[in-house]
Amino acid sequence: NAGVTQTPKFQVLKTGQSMTLQCAQDMNHNSMYWYRQDPGMGLRLIYYSASEGTTDKGEVPNGYNVSRLNKREFSLRLESAAPSQTSVYFCASSTQGNSNQPQHFGDGTRLSIL
Amino acid sequence: QKEVEQNSGPLSVPEGAIASLNCTYSDRGSQSFFWYRQYSGKSPELIMFIYSNGDKEDGRFTAQLNKASQYVSLLIRDSQPSDSATYLCAVILSGNTGKLIFGQGTTLQVKP
């Protein structure tokens, strides 16, 4: 009963390197989300996917791309990492994005960019 | 103006007291409101949700919603040291977008 699984849990990158953060859910949820969390900022929505085959920008999409590979998987890519992208990244899923159903979160990826 | 605002705190209360956490939101059409708890270094976990005006109680937790004032609050009765955490208010925006927007969170400290 894994829920939402994120990989990796920790990563250190150099400025300019690229990286893909992976997220998979086994709850048959339609909607998936990527957030970043910085100290004192709460969670800010980067991108979300209301259903398989669709993606939309959130509050802070610049510098990121996403891919909804299938219903289970939603990846986040940093093409050219910058120190400002040092953060904790959370993936979440819900039954349906425009419903009243809550989101379930993964354990997070702690990303440091030097 | 942020779409969801909370006082970042810290809010300090003695053990056994009532902790009151507040949140305001700017999207008047919002219909769904959530409270998440986040322990340091952990992911957020849902503790309450509320959709209708008024109060909703679940154990020691009560969520209160006033859509006219665009205000949602969380009361924690008989606060325990284990309640010490950051509490995040979250709102689903109107317009069928599915976007869930979080406030910056309020840190609660319950002192024995």
Side-chain angles (χ1 to χ4, degrees), chain A residues 45-48 55-62, chain B residues 99:
Chain A
L45 182 64
I46 304 171
Y47 271 94
Y48 69 105
T55 60
D56 284 289
K57 295 179 180 179
E59 301 170 89
V60 288
N62 291 343
Chain B
K99 288 185 179 181

Side-chain angles (χ1 to χ4, degrees), chain A residues 37 48 97-98 100 103 106 110, chain B residues 32 36 38 41 43 51 96-98:
Chain A
Q37 187 173 33
Y48 69 105
N98 60 357
N100 294 331
Q103 296 185 5
R110 283 148 183 81
Chain B
S32 305
Y36 285 81
Q38 186 176 28
S43 59
Y51 310 138
N96 209 31
T97 63

Side-chain angles (χ1 to χ4, degrees), chain A residues 25 28-32 48-55 67-74 94-97:
Chain A
Q25 52 90 10
N28 201 35
H29 284 170
N30 290 310
S31 302
M32 298 185 73
Y48 69 105
S49 172
S51 61
E52 185 178 358
T54 67
T55 60
S67 295
R68 184 74 183 266
L69 304 171
N70 48 55
K71 190 172 185 178
R72 291 186 63 249
E73 298 173 287
F74 188 39
S94 66
T95 304
Q96 187 170 340

